Amino acid sequence: MALLIPHFRSLRRLFCAAAVLLSSLPVSAETFALPPPGQDLVGEVRITRARQSDTLLDIARVFNLGYEEIVRANPGVDRWLPGQDTHVILPNLLILPDAPRDGIVLNVPEMRLYYYPKPGQGETPVVITHPVSVGRMDWKTPLGKTRVIQKQADPPWYPPASIKAEHAQNGDILPDMVPGGPGNPLGRFALRLGIPGYLIHGTNKEYGIGMQVTHGCVRLYPEDIERLYSLVEVGTPVYIINQPVKVGRHFDGLYIEAHPAMNELSDGSSSPQALTLLNIAATAEQLSTELNPSAVQLALQQSDGIPLRISH
């Protein structure tokens, strides 16, 4: 296997450079036409060149990517100083989650949100996707189905007692209420969910997007939450899911997109790796597709968030 890994890695780089040939045409940087039924890939992998002053965070910010996803897609690149003209992979080729293509779908380990607006008459169905930040290990983002119950512009923040106590330990005494406006951790816009205390909101710390840093809520870049706020209606369903490995079909090929699992989301009843392999095998059998075991192993080993073909 040691001899095969370098070979597959070189093929993977070629796949990245040619991914535009395999992908749907984007309407904009984060809006993609939905593929037909039975097809699951959208977007494209692109490559950009870093400037001398860029960090990977700067590049992620420009191309609407999260911190972890751009770092994982570029394991050989210095995240703080890529260097002039260094090629940086932009992982915008995505497998749609195995969830209803309706309303908002939040895949927590992927740290990415998908919104499926209802198309008007004669309009092409699309999916809008944005990177997000989610709850860290001791403040995990809850799973399950809920809905948007309220929209708020310039929302005030009422820090719960647990967060006030945490800040107080560091000598930072929070007030009972932080008014809306500059400096508010919730940003300019918020969507309140049916799960008490949980929001999808903006942020005043833009470079934390794409990281596991929140107290359970879901953060977006300021321009992303502003756009989402203008589109989403009260009552929109929200599906919060745990899919570190997604399986999808593109024409006659089967692909997987792997992300590191979040152990705190596991119920501990069975091995996540075993369940993943069973799911991949079941999907391949359903589609009468022969798998390439080496490709499956490589994709799961790298967990870099870039879809890789696993069928012959």
Side-chain angles (χ1 to χ4, degrees):
M1 190 62 193
L3 294 176
L4 292 175
I5 291 292
H7 172 65
F8 273 110
R9 282 181 176 161
S10 64
L11 289 178
R12 191 168 179 73
R13 293 302 176 188
L14 291 174
F15 167 77
C16 291
V20 66
L21 301 177
L22 298 174
S23 59
S24 305
L25 293 176
V27 179
S28 69
E30 63 283 325
T31 302
F32 306 101
L34 276 184
Q39 300 291 306
D40 304 294
L41 269 70
V42 297
E44 61 187 13
V45 174
R46 291 176 290 162
I47 297 177
T48 189
R49 290 184 178 181
R51 299 171 301 182
Q52 186 62 40
S53 59
D54 284 337
T55 67
L56 284 187
L57 278 76
D58 297 324
I59 296 171
R61 184 75 179 85
V62 170
F63 290 98
N64 201 244
L65 294 166
Y67 171 78
E68 290 290 352
E69 61 185 346
I70 197 169
V71 168
R72 290 172 188 150
N74 296 275
V77 176
D78 188 313
R79 66 189 66 186
W80 302 117
L81 192 63
Q84 181 70 35
D85 290 331
T86 296
H87 286 89
V88 177
I89 295 173
L90 307 174
N92 280 122
L93 180 65
L94 305 165
I95 295 176
L96 296 177
D98 183 13
R101 296 180 183 180
D102 171 44
I104 294 173
V105 175
L106 170 66
N107 189 14
V108 179
E110 186 184 358
M111 287 185 276
R112 183 160 282 274
L113 176 150
Y114 297 82
Y115 173 53
Y116 300 89
K118 293 183 179 179
Q121 187 174 3
E123 291 182 346
T124 300
V126 300
V127 58
I128 299 169
T129 179
H130 298 298
V132 301
S133 292
V134 297
R136 63 181 198 253
M137 290 185 67
D138 49 343
W139 297 89
K140 66 181 182 181
T141 301
L143 303 176
K145 181 182 178 182
T146 183
R147 62 188 180 92
V148 176
I149 63 171
Q150 185 184 22
K151 297 169 60 173
Q152 290 180 285
D154 288 323
W157 182 43
Y158 297 89
S162 56
I163 296 180
K164 293 176 70 174
E166 181 188 80
H167 279 252
Q169 290 178 353
N170 299 320
D172 180 19
I173 306 302
L174 293 176
D176 293 334
M177 189 272 285
V178 178
N184 189 305
L186 301 184
R188 290 287 319 280
F189 303 95
L191 305 174
R192 187 171 298 277
L193 304 181
I195 303 171
Y198 287 92
L199 306 169
I200 298 174
H201 61 82
T203 182
N204 60 351
K205 297 179 180 179
E206 299 174 3
Y207 288 99
I209 299 301
M211 301 174 70
Q212 198 177 353
V213 293
T214 79
H215 291 89
C217 288
V218 179
R219 295 180 191 166
L220 284 82
Y221 286 126
E223 67 275 13
D224 290 348
I225 186 60
E226 181 175 3
R227 181 186 185 194
L228 198 64
Y229 181 90
S230 69
L231 295 173
V232 171
E233 298 178 353
V234 171
T236 296
V238 178
Y239 304 87
I240 306 176
I241 61 175
N242 175 27
Q243 291 180 16
V245 178
K246 299 182 293 180
V247 183
R249 188 175 181 181
H250 186 72
F251 294 105
D252 62 344
L254 194 63
Y255 292 74
I256 61 174
E257 176 189 330
H259 303 262
M262 294 181 177
N263 293 331
E264 63 272 23
L265 297 179
S266 173
D267 60 10
S269 60
S270 56
S271 166
Q273 182 84 347
L275 288 176
T276 295
L277 294 173
L278 285 173
N279 180 43
I280 293 170
T283 303
E285 183 177 0
Q286 181 184 7
L287 299 175
S288 299
T289 299
E290 183 182 356
L291 292 178
N292 182 334
S294 297
V296 174
Q297 181 180 350
L298 177 63
L300 297 179
Q301 175 185 317
Q302 294 188 159
S303 291
D304 60 6
I306 299 177
L308 178 67
R309 181 168 177 143
I310 58 170
S311 59
H312 286 292

